[in-house]
Amino acid sequence: MSSTIVRNIVKAVLSREQMDGVGARVYRSIGSPSLRNLDPFLMLDEFDLFAPAGFPDHPHRGFETVTYMLEGEMSHEDFKGHKGNLGPGDLQWMSAARGIVHAEIPTTDKRVHGLQLWVNLSSKDKLSEPTYQEFPKEGVKFVSPEEGVDIKVIAGESYGVKSPVITRTPTMFIDVKMKKNRQIEQVIPKTFNGFIYTISGSAVFGGNKHKSDAHHTLVLSDNGGTSIPIESASDDCHFVIVAGEPIGEPIVQYGPFVMNTQKEIREAFADYQLGRNGFEGATEWVSAIRERWAS
């Protein structure tokens, strides 16, 4: 009889504050010099801002952005006519693929707080057509395995509850809130790379019982383990567990474009500047929301 192999924490990275977009404060871990990437993940930002800060018109190619709102409301608009608002608990899984130009701007003057994750795409998917999957908080799957443990299944599966989100790169994204002295064991596919991001409170994570407080990215060991044990140490314990199938291809990134070769990056810039190959109309497009907070 084989026993379950558990994952350990092998690296802890404190998210560092930096500015992004226009006056927007973000706390970045993955995508920083301390953790350049974690295949298939390219970037993780915890954004915490007030208008007029925001992310006006900008392009993407070659990956997916996952925006998960914790507080406040953000408006979104892209150059293909897709638009809407994201409020607390809402999810947007956007596959930019061959090309998206969009804007993300606070809807009100209240605090806007959430997470944005960039998930890489394999070479076969990088030039696919862009897609959106959007779920209001009521559409995000929920499970409570015991009192004091609340789990939202953004992608993947937890305690028998599966998310409807379709991921081109196989990914799990689990949001967990725990009262003090509760325990869970989250199942993880043995081939996935993964991490835990701590939002608030403190807990003990992994088989090596690594204690962490807020705003840390905790990298999971790649020991083929299929379980992550966690015990909460405070009543405000809140974190996300994120893992995905590594792609194993070269990563060449320049700003908002992520491809496999320098040649493909040059092509992405040319396509964007010339408005072709997925960026048709991009050079003339101006979002209706970019000047919302202009004085």
Side-chain angles (χ1 to χ4, degrees):
M1 181 181 293
S2 61
S3 59
T4 300
I5 300 174
V6 300
R7 299 286 186 110
N8 296 318
I9 305 304
V10 295
K11 184 174 185 176
V13 178
L14 176 64
S15 294
R16 298 295 184 183
E17 180 180 346
Q18 64 183 72
M19 304 308 291
D20 197 17
V22 175
R25 180 177 63 178
V26 302
Y27 297 90
R28 183 165 298 167
S29 53
I30 300 175
S32 72
S34 298
L35 188 60
R36 181 55 62 193
N37 53 66
L38 182 64
D39 189 14
F41 306 111
L42 302 164
M43 191 192 78
L44 176 69
D45 278 353
E46 178 181 1
F47 54 88
D48 193 348
L49 55 97
F50 290 84
F55 308 94
D57 310 2
H58 60 280
H60 294 298
R61 173 180 277 183
F63 60 98
E64 300 185 315
T65 67
V66 182
T67 304
Y68 181 50
M69 294 296 296
L70 300 172
E71 182 180 343
E73 188 171 314
M74 185 84 85
S75 296
H76 172 271
E77 180 186 353
D78 78 16
F79 78 139
K80 294 180 179 293
H82 187 94
K83 57 186 175 181
N85 297 331
L86 295 174
D90 293 350
L91 167 71
Q92 181 191 78
W93 201 292
M94 182 186 81
S95 186
R98 69 194 302 240
I100 280 288
V101 184
H102 72 158
E104 300 151 295
I105 302 293
T107 310
T108 72
D109 60 359
K110 302 292 192 296
R111 181 191 188 199
V112 178
H113 183 211
L115 301 175
Q116 186 167 96
L117 175 73
W118 289 12
V119 185
N120 200 11
L121 289 170
S122 67
S123 56
K124 67 181 178 59
D125 292 324
K126 283 186 179 293
L127 296 181
S128 299
E129 286 299 315
T131 61
Y132 284 92
Q133 298 175 80
E134 293 178 321
F135 294 87
K137 62 181 180 181
E138 298 82 9
V140 175
K141 295 297 183 179
F142 173 85
V143 61
S144 180
E146 65 170 277
E147 185 180 354
V149 178
D150 295 330
I151 299 174
K152 294 180 181 180
V153 188
I154 309 302
E157 180 177 352
S158 184
Y159 285 88
V161 174
K162 295 182 179 180
S163 166
V165 169
I166 298 168
T167 59
R168 282 172 164 161
T169 301
T171 306
M172 59 179 280
F173 189 137
I174 312 296
D175 176 16
V176 183
K177 290 183 177 179
M178 302 171 70
K179 296 295 186 182
K180 189 175 182 179
N181 296 329
R182 300 299 198 276
Q183 297 181 11
I184 65 167
E185 286 208 12
Q186 173 61 45
V187 173
I188 177 174
K190 65 180 181 180
T191 58
F192 278 20
N193 288 337
F195 65 92
I196 295 165
Y197 184 72
T198 56
I199 298 169
S200 65
S202 61
V204 175
F205 298 94
N208 57 339
K209 300 186 182 302
H210 178 97
K211 189 169 185 179
S212 179
D213 52 14
H215 311 300
H216 285 78
T217 293
L218 310 177
V219 179
L220 300 172
S221 59
D222 59 354
N223 60 350
T226 57
S227 177
I228 310 165
I230 299 165
E231 181 175 355
S232 55
S234 69
D235 273 334
D236 60 343
C237 185
H238 187 192
F239 56 89
V240 294
I241 305 170
V242 182
E245 187 72 53
I247 295 171
E249 295 178 351
I251 297 171
V252 181
Q253 179 174 354
Y254 196 95
F257 303 132
V258 183
M259 303 301 289
N260 297 113
T261 67
Q262 291 287 353
K263 179 175 180 288
E264 290 170 340
I265 290 291
R266 291 192 294 271
E267 289 171 350
F269 269 99
D271 289 344
Y272 174 58
Q273 291 166 350
L274 296 173
R276 66 188 187 192
N277 295 331
F279 286 113
E280 287 80 4
T283 53
E284 299 85 23
W285 180 76
V286 177
S287 70
I289 61 176
R290 76 177 287 166
E291 300 299 332
R292 171 177 289 163
W293 299 102
S295 54

